[in-house]
């Protein structure tokens, strides 16, 4: 962790941070229903392919200052997922300013985070920034092995020339215990 991280926040044991990142927002819920986009936006505010996952939910918002590009960070995440046996469900990166509906495009991200919203009171800048600002990306990955069924979704955007921001959502899929009330 980093001295500048928001209080009570930490990296998730399943995934480390990009070097130099600080945590600007952190949320954890024991049970949450989360929607993973598994394909591009096909019409206005419409993505056809969704996976609905239920389980423990952790959301970490990372801020990366400096010259690092969206594409560099994106490639590092992809490589970490592949090395650790994750299956990539879908992914995409736009290295320049864009209004793309493709997976990872700015318009796609807007629709995606409407389904999986974050508090507007928090200074989460993933959907902000001007049209002159740079790229965006998205990765949805799944690790399924004995004792582990985890989905990780990474959304990123360039907020300003020296600030890239990433939301990393981790869903530890679980079957809801439904025999609790007799």
């Amino acid at each position: 962790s980093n001295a500048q991280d928001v209080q009570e926040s930490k990296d998730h044991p399943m995934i480390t941070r990009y070097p130099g990142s600080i945590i600007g927002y952190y949320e954890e819920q024991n049970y949450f229903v989360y929607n993973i986009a598994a394909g591009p936006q096909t019409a206005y505010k419409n993505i056809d392919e969704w996976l609905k996952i239920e389980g423990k939910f952790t959301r970490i918002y990372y801020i990366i200052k400096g010259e690092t590009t969206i594409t560099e960070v994106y490639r590092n995440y992809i490589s970490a997922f592949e090395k650790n046996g994750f299956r990539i469900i879908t992914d995409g990166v736009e290295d320049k300013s864009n209004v793309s509906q493709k997976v990872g495009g700015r318009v796609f991200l807007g629709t995606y985070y409407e389904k999986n919203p974050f508090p507007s009171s928090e200074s989460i800048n993933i959907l902000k920034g001007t049209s002159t600002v740079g790229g965006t990306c998205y990765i949805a990955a799944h690790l399924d092995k004995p004792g582990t069924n985890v989905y990780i979704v990474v959304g990123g955007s360039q907020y300003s020339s020296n600030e890239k921001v990433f939301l990393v959502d981790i869903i530890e899929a679980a079957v809801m215990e439904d025999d609790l009330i007799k």
Side-chain angles (χ1 to χ4, degrees):
S1 92
N2 179 311
Q4 291 170 285
D5 288 350
V6 67
Q7 277 186 309
E8 306 295 314
S9 71
K10 58 185 185 291
D11 292 319
H12 192 278
M14 293 295 298
I15 188 159
T16 61
R17 71 178 74 191
Y18 189 85
S21 308
I22 61 166
I23 299 178
Y25 171 78
Y26 181 88
E27 176 188 353
E28 210 177 86
Q29 293 190 41
N30 281 330
Y31 184 76
F32 191 80
V33 178
Y34 187 92
N35 297 284
I36 296 177
Q41 180 162 324
T42 51
Y44 178 71
K45 293 210 180 285
N46 183 69
I47 293 168
D48 289 333
E49 298 173 72
W50 293 96
L51 295 172
K52 188 177 266 195
I53 311 298
E54 303 173 27
K56 182 175 188 233
F57 172 67
T58 308
R59 170 168 274 173
I60 309 171
Y61 176 65
Y62 290 108
I63 300 159
I64 304 172
K65 302 270 194 188
E67 297 304 298
T68 310
T69 67
I70 279 287
T71 303
E72 265 177 272
V73 182
Y74 163 84
R75 287 203 181 117
N76 271 275
Y77 275 116
I78 290 279
S79 150
F81 287 138
E82 288 175 343
K83 278 187 197 135
N84 291 288
F86 280 76
R87 178 177 69 87
I88 306 291
I89 296 164
T90 189
D91 69 289
V93 62
E94 299 280 343
D95 61 352
K96 294 184 187 65
S97 164
N98 71 87
V99 288
S100 173
Q101 298 191 10
K102 288 192 292 203
V103 172
R106 197 169 279 276
V107 172
F108 166 92
L109 287 180
T111 301
Y112 182 71
Y113 287 115
E114 264 184 30
K115 263 256 217 259
N116 301 286
F118 43 81
S120 53
S121 57
E122 299 291 333
S123 45
I124 293 175
N125 293 328
I126 194 155
L127 301 175
K128 299 194 181 116
T130 66
S131 58
T132 55
V133 163
T136 50
C137 69
Y138 174 90
I139 306 164
H142 181 210
L143 180 63
D144 190 2
K145 59 179 202 192
T148 307
N149 185 11
V150 176
Y151 292 83
I152 301 181
V153 176
V154 176
S157 81
Q158 182 171 330
Y159 174 61
S160 65
S161 57
N162 70 341
E163 188 173 313
K164 285 83 195 168
V165 296
F166 284 82
L167 271 175
V168 178
D169 292 343
I170 301 103
I171 309 92
E172 297 165 62
V175 177
M176 176 91 167
E177 284 187 71
D178 59 4
D179 285 341
L180 299 178
I181 297 172
K182 301 278 191 246

